[in-house]
């Protein structure tokens, strides 16, 4: 399996500085980052490690869930996966990820709601990003839509 790379160029202090995150492997873009905007309610055109983590988690989860549905004999027509990643204070000092809420809505042929829920939980436990984030509470809200 390949290694993927991202790069950040940072200039200045934490509060005054800013940087650019480059998605190096895919070459699909370079995105602005800054700590004040990271900690603000509105991102105003910048991304953050938490948003990038949410993108990684939601896409990884969708792939894993799709694979498990297929192995169970189902056919995923559509999976809408959202990951909300929260940054908060760390009692030991600084900041940490305080939680990740995964929400999935799916249109799937060939499986019932109980199987959907079971596979959704299994995907949460087995997707590589979930495995990497074992120190963060990850919740799941999964609904099979008809």
């Amino acid at each position: 399996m390949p290694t993927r790379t991202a790069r950040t160029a940072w200039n200045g202090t934490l509060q005054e500085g800013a940087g650019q995150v480059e998605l190096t492997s895919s070459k699909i873009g370079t995105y602005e980052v800054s700590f004040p905007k990271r900690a603000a309610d509105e991102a105003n055109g910048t991304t953050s490690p938490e948003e990038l983590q949410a993108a990684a988690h939601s896409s990884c989860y969708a792939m894993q869930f799709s694979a498990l549905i297929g192995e169970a004999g189902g056919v995923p027509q559509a999976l809408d996966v959202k990951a909300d990643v929260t940054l908060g204070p760390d009692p030991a000092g600084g900041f940490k990820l305080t939680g990740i809420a995964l929400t999935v809505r799916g249109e799937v042929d060939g499986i019932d709601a109980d199987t959907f829920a079971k596979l959704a939980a299994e995907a949460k436990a087995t997707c590589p990003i979930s495995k990497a984030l074992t120190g963060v509470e990850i919740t799941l809200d999964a609904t099979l839509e008809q």
Side-chain angles (χ1 to χ4, degrees):
M1 298 299 276
T3 298
R4 300 293 185 219
T5 304
R7 180 183 158 276
T8 299
W10 186 268
N11 296 299
T13 66
L14 178 64
Q15 292 298 330
E16 305 290 325
Q20 298 79 38
V21 174
E22 172 190 89
L23 302 183
T24 310
S25 298
S26 64
K27 298 178 179 43
I28 61 171
T30 300
Y31 304 93
E32 299 295 318
V33 292
S34 83
F35 184 77
K37 290 184 180 179
R38 178 184 187 186
D41 288 334
E42 295 296 324
N44 292 323
T46 64
T47 192
S48 67
E50 293 72 37
E51 183 177 40
L52 295 169
Q53 185 62 62
H57 205 169
S58 66
S59 60
C60 181
Y61 178 86
M63 290 179 205
Q64 182 68 6
F65 193 20
S66 176
L68 293 174
I69 290 167
E71 289 171 10
V75 178
Q77 297 301 319
L79 297 174
D80 184 348
V81 180
K82 180 175 76 161
D84 294 315
V85 176
T86 304
L87 178 71
D90 184 344
F95 299 94
K96 68 176 190 170
L97 298 184
T98 57
I100 299 172
L102 291 173
T103 304
V104 59
R105 300 293 178 259
E107 296 175 26
V108 179
D109 296 333
I111 63 171
D112 61 20
D114 289 340
T115 303
F116 183 88
K118 176 181 162 269
L119 296 173
E122 185 178 344
K124 179 179 86 95
T126 59
C127 103
I129 299 296
S130 291
K131 289 179 183 180
L133 297 170
T134 57
V136 181
E137 180 184 2
I138 302 171
T139 61
L140 176 64
D141 173 7
T143 302
L144 176 63
E145 297 178 338
Q146 300 300 331

